[in-house]
Amino acid sequence: MTQPQMLLIYNSRAGKGSFLTKLPEVIDMFVKGGYRVEVYPTQAAGDAVEKVSKIPGYVSLIVAAGGDGTIDEVVTGLLRSGRDVPVGYIPVGSTNDYAASLKLSFNVLEAVGDVLGGEPQAVDMGEFNNGIFVYVAAFGAFTDVSYATNQDMKNLFGHIAYIMEGVRRMADIKSYDLRVEVDGELHEGSYIYGMVTNSVSVGGFKGITGKNVLLDDGVFEVLLIHTPKNILELQEIVTVLLSGSMDSPLIEFYRTERVRLWSKEEITWTLDGEYGGAHTYVDIRNRHQCVRIIMDGDKSDVLGGWRKLENKSAGEGQTSQ
């Protein structure tokens, strides 16, 4: 019987580079798990997209080891390939927002065990004009901090590096006049920040994407922050975001499968913490359950569809007794 083949793609610079010290053990675990392993270290930005978009037909599993940018590239390449191949994720980045949302282990060898023992579960992804994002598309205040912060600084200081870079930018915050369409309704205003997410954590902070977030429900959480007129309004925005209530006239919050935004000037966007280009028009759509990510069964509370299936099965079992 032919062994299944897997492609292991890793970013050697993600996090503090600690994955390299575990690489022999990781390969050994996958081989013992029954796989023939092809290992590919990414060489530059966009490299994983190209590699995965051309995966041969005999590859039955892709495993990404890196941060949010690495899983973004792997998913983008996979959707370009047209293949339906399950994806395992070993989070070794400096923030790992998406892994936190999936409740994946941040211990490398435990994460490998979860890939070998878990089940592929279909989750939503985002379509951004002609691009793809996994968990967040954002513009405005501090959104370029992630890709503008030096990788070595990220590795050394982690979240503190982002905060230090953000504080340095405080005086440069600007507002953007936008027309926003959500569920066929138009909204206009001046905003300092906006994000479209499918995540319980952004920038390492939980709660700012709202409550009861599910990763497979076909909708995004959309947050738009109006330009504060004074320090009291700014304080109100911060307080509301930290509470997760979203109850303020300064904040617009929606759950929707599609959002479109127009602006007179080009606005720089980030996709999963990486540069997403400058645009005057953006069309963002939810691609419902289009990628299968391997997860542990005991972490299914972020998946509404799976939980409903489990509850239905449990109910059927009780009926037959």
Side-chain angles (χ1 to χ4, degrees):
M1 182 175 178
T2 305
Q3 280 184 299
Q5 174 103 13
M6 65 165 287
L7 173 62
L8 171 61
I9 293 183
Y10 71 91
N11 178 0
S12 62
R13 287 181 55 78
K16 299 178 181 179
S18 58
F19 178 74
L20 289 176
T21 65
K22 299 290 186 181
L23 184 56
E25 292 176 87
V26 169
I27 295 172
D28 184 62
M29 287 180 68
F30 281 127
V31 170
K32 284 184 169 64
Y35 286 95
R36 293 173 56 221
V37 183
E38 176 186 347
V39 180
Y40 185 80
T42 58
Q43 304 298 303
D47 193 27
V49 176
E50 293 301 314
K51 180 67 175 178
V52 177
S53 66
K54 300 173 183 176
I55 56 170
Y58 55 78
V59 172
S60 59
L61 172 65
I62 303 170
V63 176
D68 295 322
T70 304
I71 191 68
D72 175 290
E73 289 197 11
V74 167
V75 166
T76 299
L78 182 60
L79 291 176
R80 286 185 185 178
S81 76
R83 297 278 312 283
D84 179 20
V85 179
V87 176
Y89 184 22
I90 303 173
V92 291
S94 50
T95 303
N96 300 314
D97 278 317
Y98 192 58
S101 295
L102 293 172
K103 298 188 176 180
L104 301 181
S105 174
F106 288 176
N107 177 286
V108 170
L109 299 185
E110 286 183 5
V112 172
D114 290 344
V115 172
L116 289 170
E119 292 292 334
Q121 302 298 328
V123 294
D124 302 340
M125 295 293 159
E127 184 175 308
F128 179 94
N129 288 350
N130 295 320
I132 295 293
F133 66 95
V134 172
Y135 75 97
V136 62
F139 73 88
F142 309 138
T143 51
D144 68 340
V145 167
S146 178
Y147 64 77
T149 304
N150 180 272
Q151 181 68 55
D152 292 331
M153 191 176 179
K154 292 180 189 178
N155 293 344
L156 184 60
F157 295 110
H159 291 136
I160 297 176
Y162 297 113
I163 295 171
M164 290 168 63
E165 184 69 15
V167 169
R168 192 177 68 83
R169 306 287 187 83
M170 282 293 289
D172 299 326
I173 293 179
K174 64 177 295 185
S175 60
Y176 303 91
D177 294 326
L178 296 175
R179 277 196 306 137
V180 182
E181 181 188 87
V182 179
D183 295 330
E185 294 187 359
L186 281 174
H187 308 263
E188 295 189 26
S190 176
Y191 306 91
I192 61 168
Y193 180 80
M195 67 179 182
V196 180
T197 66
N198 189 43
S199 173
V200 300
S201 172
V202 173
F205 299 98
K206 293 184 178 181
I208 63 172
T209 61
K211 299 177 180 178
N212 303 316
V213 175
L214 297 174
L215 307 186
D216 66 344
D217 58 359
V219 297
F220 293 121
E221 283 67 39
V222 179
L223 175 71
L224 298 168
I225 301 178
H226 285 267
T227 305
K229 297 182 176 66
N230 51 56
I231 191 66
L232 291 178
E233 288 191 348
L234 179 60
Q235 183 177 348
E236 177 182 335
I237 290 170
V238 172
T239 300
V240 169
L241 290 177
L242 291 176
S243 71
S245 67
M246 308 304 172
D247 184 18
S248 168
L250 296 169
I251 292 177
E252 295 177 30
F253 184 77
Y254 310 99
R255 284 191 166 95
T256 182
E257 64 181 19
R258 184 182 184 187
V259 57
R260 298 197 294 166
L261 304 97
W262 294 263
S263 61
K264 292 183 179 179
E265 63 177 311
E266 287 191 335
I267 297 177
T268 298
W269 285 76
T270 64
L271 305 179
D272 298 332
E274 304 295 331
Y275 180 65
H279 310 271
T280 57
Y281 169 72
V282 167
D283 185 358
I284 301 175
R285 306 179 188 225
N286 185 286
R287 295 187 60 167
H288 186 41
Q289 298 185 6
C290 65
V291 172
R292 292 183 298 145
I293 304 288
I294 297 177
M295 296 175 57
D296 257 0
D298 61 353
K299 299 169 183 173
S300 60
D301 58 328
V302 295
L303 299 178
W306 191 14
R307 184 167 63 240
K308 291 173 187 175
L309 180 62
E310 285 183 327
N311 291 342
K312 181 180 178 183
S313 298
E316 291 173 349
Q318 291 169 1
T319 303
S320 64
Q321 288 178 348

